Amino acid sequence: MLEEKIKDAVKGLEGTWSIIIHDLKSGEKIFVNEGQVYPSASIIKLWILWKLYKEAEKGNINLDKEIILKEEHKTGGFGILQDLHAGLNLSIRDLATLMIILSDNTATNMLIDYLGMDAINQEIKELGMRNTILQRRMMDLEAKAKGLDNYTSVMDTYYILKLIAEGSEISSEYREEMIKILLRQQCNNKLPLLMPADVRFAHKTGDLPTIEHDAGILFVNGREILVVVMMSNLKDNLEGIRVHNLLGKIIYDYFSSK
């Protein structure tokens, strides 16, 4: 029934799409086109967040350590740091928060530089995620022109969310901290738009021309539902966003009535 409603909602969308839904309480799952690989857009920031807290768990990183914002750190696209003064002191935790809730590209690049791109990719490899790779910093158009991009899939994104929700690799304290950051998401124009205003959806979005993604953990009626929606090759990004809105309402209504 739910899968039929989802397919009806996506019918007519000009583009490629994939979806995974998993109710961790009941075990109910829907996987559609899960093998498709997509340019990740800002969804890649979930792996940077994970690596950061994994290193904090090991004692290799102090999340309260401060980094000075420099003019050369600043980059375009989403975020607020590009508009703030150089010399500002920001903790690692501050940068992680900005990277997620405002999708701040400057904060993201600062964290990539701090962790090391190779180290992030090694973590992804050790997690067994075959379709995810970080090959360029945010807004690095020169690297993109050379064919370097960041990629992932709904399946890999589902697995990283599952680790954040219930994985044993990181303590519950740090996993809860990551979820609290994701719950403060301010880019809410996709899956949660038509859900009730007080809904708890710990999520991360991503978008580029022809690409719209949203992925997170939906908390409804004592349930934790993993939801990952990815779209690419869209003729119209606004149509992709509209379908996200409809999918979010369908998913919320279904699980809130159980």
Side-chain angles (χ1 to χ4, degrees), residues 201-221:
F201 186 39
H203 70 120
K204 182 74 194 78
T205 62
D207 58 80
L208 289 167
T210 79
I211 293 167
E212 295 290 345
H213 305 323
D214 202 349
I217 307 163
L218 178 63
F219 297 87
V220 180
N221 286 350

Side-chain angles (χ1 to χ4, degrees), residues 8-249:
D8 283 344
V10 180
K11 192 180 296 181
L13 180 71
E14 295 188 56
T16 305
W17 66 278
S18 302
I19 188 166
I20 288 180
I21 302 169
H22 181 195
D23 180 352
L24 294 178
K25 184 175 182 179
S26 70
E28 182 176 359
K29 294 180 183 179
I30 294 174
F31 285 37
V32 183
N33 299 332
E34 67 272 17
Q36 183 71 35
V37 178
Y38 294 85
S40 67
S42 287
I43 293 287
I44 197 71
K45 295 169 185 178
L46 288 171
W47 280 270
I48 299 170
L49 182 71
W50 172 267
K51 177 61 174 175
L52 195 63
Y53 277 81
K54 183 80 170 286
E55 292 303 311
E57 177 80 15
K58 292 178 180 178
N60 295 334
I61 285 178
N62 178 0
L63 294 172
D64 294 319
K65 174 184 170 62
E66 292 187 341
I67 297 179
I68 298 173
L69 174 66
K70 298 179 181 178
E71 203 63 43
E72 56 264 33
H73 288 141
K74 296 181 182 182
T75 192
F78 280 99
I80 190 67
L81 289 184
Q82 62 182 309
D83 298 311
L84 301 184
H85 68 86
L88 185 67
N89 285 324
L90 295 139
S91 71
I92 299 293
R93 186 178 275 106
D94 289 336
L95 291 172
T97 301
L98 288 168
M99 174 178 71
I100 297 299
I101 72 172
L102 289 178
S103 207
D104 194 296
N105 288 329
T106 296
T108 305
N109 286 348
M110 290 172 73
L111 290 175
I112 291 172
D113 292 346
Y114 184 74
L115 290 167
M117 193 176 293
D118 289 344
I120 295 167
N121 282 317
Q122 182 61 33
E123 177 69 20
I124 293 168
K125 184 178 179 181
E126 289 175 3
L127 290 171
M129 298 181 182
R130 299 178 181 179
N131 298 322
T132 302
I133 188 167
L134 174 67
Q135 296 187 108
R136 64 173 179 84
R137 299 160 87 247
M138 302 303 106
M139 302 302 292
D140 187 344
L141 301 181
E142 186 177 328
K144 192 167 185 178
K146 293 177 181 177
L148 297 175
D149 209 343
N150 305 323
Y151 293 96
T152 192
S153 63
V154 288
M155 184 64 81
D156 282 3
T157 305
Y158 158 72
Y159 280 134
I160 196 69
L161 288 173
K162 198 167 187 292
L163 287 171
I164 292 171
E166 60 178 18
S168 60
E169 291 86 349
I170 293 180
S171 68
S172 59
E173 178 186 355
Y174 275 151
R175 286 192 291 104
E176 287 170 11
E177 187 170 326
M178 284 190 281
I179 289 170
K180 284 179 180 177
I181 292 173
L182 291 162
L183 281 169
R184 291 158 60 194
Q185 180 59 251
Q186 295 187 28
C187 304
N188 292 311
N189 66 321
K190 296 179 196 175
L191 289 176
L193 187 71
L194 300 180
M195 297 181 191
D198 61 351
V199 72
R200 297 178 70 237
F201 186 39
H203 70 120
K204 182 74 194 78
T205 62
D207 58 80
L208 289 167
T210 79
I211 293 167
E212 295 290 345
H213 305 323
D214 202 349
I217 307 163
L218 178 63
F219 297 87
V220 180
N221 286 350
R223 300 170 181 271
E224 296 179 7
I225 300 117
L226 307 183
V227 184
V228 185
V229 179
M230 292 190 170
M231 300 174 181
S232 68
N233 303 313
L234 293 168
K235 184 177 180 180
D236 182 357
N237 276 64
L238 289 177
E239 178 64 8
I241 292 171
R242 186 194 69 79
V243 174
H244 268 82
N245 299 161
L246 185 54
L247 289 172
K249 186 177 190 316

